[in-house]
Amino acid sequence: MKLVMAVVSNDDANLVIKTLIQSDFFVTKLATTGGFLKSGNTTIIIGVQDDRMDECIELISEHSKQRTKLVPNAISSEFGIFSSTPVEVQVGGATIFVLDVEQFIKT
């Protein structure tokens, strides 16, 4: 058995969770923050049997797409902070961790 921890964008989280539940995975949702833009993320924790690992990772990847976003850009100098042209950055996607589970207990 494996423990999958997937960090996805809040924009994608509901669709990812809904798809996993429809595919009979048990999901725990944690609200998290962090990353480059300090944007909201959702960490999804899933207990997965070894033979369903590929299916789980595929569903997460399929429903958490990367996209571009314009973010404000500021230049700091000895005279203060000045705004300049917004910069395009990649956001979204998923970061997936897979851990071995030594023991699983459900009470």
Side-chain angles (χ1 to χ4, degrees):
M1 178 170 237
K2 305 287 186 195
L3 178 69
V4 176
M5 296 177 61
V7 181
V8 299
S9 166
N10 280 347
D11 296 337
D12 299 327
N14 289 334
L15 182 58
V16 171
I17 291 168
K18 179 180 175 183
T19 303
L20 288 167
I21 290 171
Q22 287 174 344
S23 298
D24 294 326
F25 288 100
F26 293 101
V27 174
T28 299
K29 173 184 170 183
L30 302 173
T32 53
T33 333
F36 175 65
L37 299 175
K38 304 286 189 258
S39 59
N41 295 318
T42 299
T43 301
I44 303 167
I45 301 173
I46 313 131
V48 181
Q49 295 297 331
D50 291 343
D51 61 335
R52 296 195 68 200
M53 273 301 305
D54 293 336
E55 177 188 0
C56 180
I57 291 172
E58 179 65 31
L59 290 172
I60 295 167
S61 299
E62 190 177 305
H63 293 92
S64 51
K65 300 293 183 189
Q66 281 195 343
R67 52 199 163 275
T68 57
K69 180 178 180 179
L70 288 175
V71 295
N73 187 19
I75 298 172
S76 177
S77 73
E78 61 189 72
F79 303 109
I81 297 175
F82 303 97
S83 288
S84 72
T85 309
V87 177
E88 217 175 69
V89 295
Q90 293 287 331
V91 296
T95 302
I96 302 170
F97 301 92
V98 179
L99 305 146
D100 286 323
V101 174
E102 190 172 310
Q103 187 175 15
F104 172 76
I105 301 168
K106 186 173 182 176
T107 59

